[in-house]
Amino acid sequence: MLLPCLSRMVVAALVVPLLAGIPNREMHAATPDDPIVHAGRQDLATSLLVGSVAASEGDNAEAARAFTAAAHLAPAYRLFGERAFFYSIMAGSPEANALASTQPGGVMPDLVMGNAAALAGEWNSALAHYQNAPDDPIMNLLRPLLRGWALQGAGRTDEALAALDHAREDHTLGGYYTVHAALIAQLAGQQMKADTLFRQSTSMAGGDLFTALVMAHWLVGQGQEAAAEALVNQRVAAMPVLEAARSGIMAMIHRPVVTHAVQGLAQAYGLVGLLIDQQLYAHDGTEDDHEPDIAAEVGTLRGTEQMMLRMALVLDPADSEARLLLSSMLHGRKQDRQARAALDGAPADDPFLPVYRTEQADLDLVMGHKEQAAQELRDLLHDAPGDRMLWSSLGDALLDQQQWAEALDAYRHATALTPHRLEGDDWRLLFGQAIAQERQNHWPQARALIQQALQLAPNEADLLNYLGYSMVEHGENPAMAESYLRRALALAPADNQIRDSVGWVLMRLGHVAEGLPLLEQAAEQMPQDPAINYHLGVAYWMAGRRLEAVNEWQNAIQFQPDPMDHRKITAALAYARAWKANAAHPGMVLPADLKPAAVPASSHPPANGTQH
């Protein structure tokens, strides 16, 4: 856990005021005197359409440009300017500052103008904006840090420390305020005061990346370099994505983490972003996700998190934690192009560049840029051949390109570089090897690898699904396969791939009436999955619904099935044509999938999926 977990109500109270009044109002009906009527109708309509589409796709920069154009065309219509301001912040655009001065007031305009003043070195102006921002729960959290760092920037260290005194007594976040106070004292050359504050912060060590680096640097200054290295190693072990930058991160402990007050301001916004991200993570997957009020709250939290992280990066482009968290958040919202772009813009000497490049390669893979992803990973491995995470990512990229032998080799490299006995998430390395082996027709080796992976992760639905499905495909104990698949579906009831697998094995066992509804549900949710369409077609055929079966197979052949599925679909269609022409033709060969597997009745597992 990175930070203390605040309750949902507390976090909502902190962030909802930020978005109050920002683009949630509906446009009123135009009258003959309305400024919209006198604006260029076509240009205005185009700008609004472009802005709305861009916003819906998560392209905040384009949305900001479009709504800014709309605001210029209809300057009296305040809503357009508000939307332009909102999306400028979400995009991290410098235009947000110019737009802030035109806003009717509120927390966000003062924060944006305060940040711009800080970047310009106008500390008294920054301090005034941070002080003038309306009082609300989020400003109660932020204001001590913003005032403290603005006062430090103005050279008023004693006042800066005093601004944090009361906040340091907070039972939840007091440790973080103390860390910032220690940094302010250290930056001002008050080392004895800084040492006292750092000692009071030792319980915070390692809680998040920034704090771990701050405390490690202080430990080095105290002559405890081994303890500092252990602290950083602990943080890297907790965040495997950092492995690619381990050497660069370790070098950071020998230099100050914060050298300017602006960096301290950035960390204040990053702290809020981390708090919100943790709250969203704790909420993820709960039963009330689809309730309107909860959905609105989650949307508000996500928007506020993005604004906080964007502000952190505007102030400090080298804020690696904010950059990685922003990219991860956008990826979680399926905005992969924006997630990749968020990893651009770091300084050329940023020690986290290998991490950003690795993450970009993974995002390229998600977006279907398979060859580009593989090449990026090979380039990275040229400079870091001992990085197991890079080898693992390369295995994923090659597996997605169906380069089975090369993928297997990459996963084996990653496994060999594992510095400990396989444990925890290492099941993924075994799973990757198993898929590569099975696709090369080495089923016994694949089965052994999956069973080894299940020893590490016995409740991993993907493993159970792959094992059960593959057992059916290889004609190996379909009843046992059904037990694995039922258990997988119980663990992940919303997973349509698993629902398809369970329906498929039930149908193969001859339980067509039970399996068919599952296959129909899966196809309804994933209508362009060729394997699911093929399976549903087989079920229809076995149920005597020949025309529907052929329709599903014809659909499946259009959705670019892999070579193995393509052969099966082609064979099924050829058989259907021959059957229609002459069902009694002696040369017709019934494809294996179109007849139930031969399974003794006694081997049918219990309905609850208990394994034998």
Side-chain angles (χ1 to χ4, degrees):
M1 188 175 290
L2 288 175
L3 297 168
C5 186
L6 303 184
S7 73
R8 180 184 302 161
M9 290 181 63
V10 171
V11 176
L14 292 175
V15 301
V16 168
L18 285 180
L19 298 184
I22 296 180
N24 291 321
R25 296 195 303 272
E26 295 295 328
M27 291 191 292
H28 58 72
T31 67
D33 296 325
D34 196 297
I36 295 177
V37 173
H38 298 288
R41 284 179 176 274
Q42 185 172 354
D43 290 344
L44 181 60
T46 299
S47 294
L48 294 177
L49 177 61
V50 169
S52 298
V53 171
S56 70
E57 295 177 348
D59 190 346
N60 296 307
E62 183 60 29
R65 284 190 290 270
F67 283 116
T68 298
H72 289 156
L73 288 167
Y77 201 72
R78 197 172 69 185
L79 178 59
F80 299 155
E82 291 177 358
R83 291 193 175 193
F85 176 59
F86 172 79
Y87 290 115
S88 293
I89 300 173
M90 295 285 277
S93 168
E95 295 299 319
N97 183 47
L99 292 165
S101 61
T102 68
Q103 300 305 303
V107 171
M108 294 307 297
D110 270 314
L111 291 183
V112 169
M113 290 187 285
N115 296 343
L119 284 168
E122 300 169 357
W123 290 107
N124 289 332
S125 175
L127 191 59
H129 282 298
Y130 296 147
Q131 191 60 44
N132 290 337
D135 233 357
D136 66 15
I138 198 167
M139 284 309 300
N140 291 341
L141 174 68
L142 268 176
R143 203 186 315 271
L145 291 170
L146 299 182
R147 288 193 71 245
W149 282 109
L151 286 164
Q152 199 285 330
R156 298 154 61 181
T157 302
D158 291 341
E159 293 177 70
L161 294 174
L164 290 167
D165 277 346
H166 180 68
R168 288 173 50 213
E169 298 174 4
D170 184 279
H171 71 281
T172 303
L173 297 174
Y176 286 90
Y177 291 116
T178 303
V179 168
H180 281 261
L183 287 167
I184 287 172
Q186 186 179 59
L187 199 56
Q190 299 183 16
Q191 194 58 49
M192 290 184 64
K193 177 68 171 176
D195 287 343
T196 299
L197 291 166
F198 278 129
R199 288 190 185 95
Q200 294 173 9
S201 306
T202 52
S203 62
M204 298 291 297
D208 63 297
L209 181 59
F210 170 73
T211 306
L213 289 171
V214 167
M215 298 306 297
H217 175 68
W218 177 71
L219 287 169
V220 168
Q222 300 298 302
Q224 301 181 49
E225 188 161 342
E229 291 179 354
L231 181 59
V232 173
N233 283 327
Q234 179 185 9
R235 184 91 296 268
V236 173
M239 298 177 66
V241 69
L242 301 179
E243 183 63 43
R246 180 186 289 272
S247 60
I249 295 171
M250 197 61 72
M252 292 174 70
I253 69 176
H254 296 285
R255 57 180 184 268
V257 180
V258 174
T259 59
H260 194 277
V262 170
Q263 292 173 295
L265 292 174
Q267 289 300 325
Y269 290 112
L271 172 62
V272 177
L274 280 167
L275 284 168
I276 297 172
D277 189 74
Q278 184 189 48
Q279 178 59 35
L280 287 168
Y281 180 81
H283 173 270
D284 186 41
T286 57
E287 294 179 357
D288 50 11
D289 281 344
H290 300 296
E291 294 183 11
D293 57 336
I294 298 299
E297 178 189 316
V298 168
T300 297
L301 288 171
R302 286 172 174 164
T304 307
E305 178 187 6
Q306 186 167 343
M307 287 191 288
M308 294 293 101
L309 296 174
R310 286 294 190 187
M311 286 185 173
L313 289 169
V314 166
L315 288 163
D316 182 14
D319 187 340
S320 54
E321 200 157 14
R323 190 173 297 281
L324 289 168
L325 189 56
L326 176 61
S327 178
S328 175
M329 182 208 74
L330 291 168
H331 171 57
R333 298 175 71 176
K334 302 188 185 304
Q335 297 175 9
D336 293 320
R337 183 171 59 84
Q338 291 84 353
R340 194 188 192 287
L343 296 169
D344 290 328
D349 60 349
D350 191 323
F352 288 85
L353 282 176
V355 177
Y356 305 150
R357 291 178 63 193
T358 303
E359 291 294 286
Q360 286 179 322
D362 287 342
L363 287 165
D364 281 332
L365 185 59
V366 170
M367 290 186 287
H369 307 155
K370 303 172 186 178
E371 294 182 3
Q372 180 179 338
Q375 188 56 53
E376 288 169 344
L377 290 165
R378 288 191 180 98
D379 291 343
L380 287 165
L381 280 165
H382 183 270
D383 298 327
D387 190 322
R388 67 186 291 265
M389 293 302 295
L390 289 177
W391 281 110
S392 178
S393 293
L394 179 60
D396 294 342
L398 293 169
L399 202 68
D400 217 42
Q401 294 181 69
Q402 301 182 14
Q403 297 183 25
W404 315 122
E406 295 84 351
L408 180 60
D409 182 66
Y411 287 126
R412 283 173 168 169
H413 269 88
T415 303
L417 289 167
T418 302
H420 50 71
R421 192 176 172 185
L422 292 179
E423 59 187 25
D425 279 352
D426 293 334
W427 67 266
R428 299 180 187 277
L429 296 176
L430 297 170
F431 191 24
Q433 291 180 61
I435 294 172
Q437 290 278 28
E438 192 270 338
R439 289 308 180 99
Q440 294 180 88
N441 296 316
H442 302 154
W443 169 237
Q445 296 91 326
R447 182 182 56 222
L449 286 162
I450 296 176
Q451 289 171 338
Q452 184 182 353
L454 279 168
Q455 291 177 2
L456 302 179
N459 294 318
E460 185 54 54
D462 285 342
L463 288 172
L464 293 163
N465 177 51
Y466 199 90
L467 177 58
Y469 184 88
S470 297
M471 287 173 67
V472 174
E473 292 297 284
H474 290 276
E476 184 177 292
N477 197 344
M480 179 62 75
E482 181 186 357
S483 71
Y484 287 129
L485 290 167
R486 285 187 183 275
R487 185 174 162 205
L489 188 60
L491 290 165
D495 191 312
N496 285 297
Q497 296 283 359
I498 297 176
R499 183 177 289 111
D500 167 69
S501 296
V502 175
W504 175 243
V505 73
L506 286 170
M507 187 275 305
R508 294 285 291 122
L509 286 165
H511 310 305
V512 179
E514 187 180 358
L516 183 55
L518 292 172
L519 292 169
E520 288 178 324
Q521 291 173 31
E524 182 179 346
Q525 295 298 317
M526 301 180 69
Q528 296 187 3
D529 186 299
I532 292 177
N533 282 309
Y534 168 66
H535 293 162
L536 181 56
V538 172
Y540 281 148
W541 186 273
M542 296 182 69
R545 296 160 64 174
R546 312 299 194 195
L547 182 59
E548 290 170 280
V550 171
N551 286 340
E552 290 299 328
W553 293 333
Q554 288 174 336
N555 287 335
I557 207 74
Q558 297 178 45
F559 298 139
Q560 299 181 331
D562 66 29
M564 183 183 298
D565 283 340
H566 190 279
R567 287 192 295 271
K568 290 183 177 182
I569 298 165
T570 302
L573 284 169
Y575 179 81
R577 285 193 297 269
W579 179 88
K580 184 177 181 181
N582 185 358
H585 192 282
M588 288 172 54
V589 178
L590 183 68
D593 286 347
L594 299 188
K595 53 186 177 182
V599 183
S602 60
S603 68
H604 194 286
N608 63 6
T610 304
Q611 293 188 46
H612 297 294

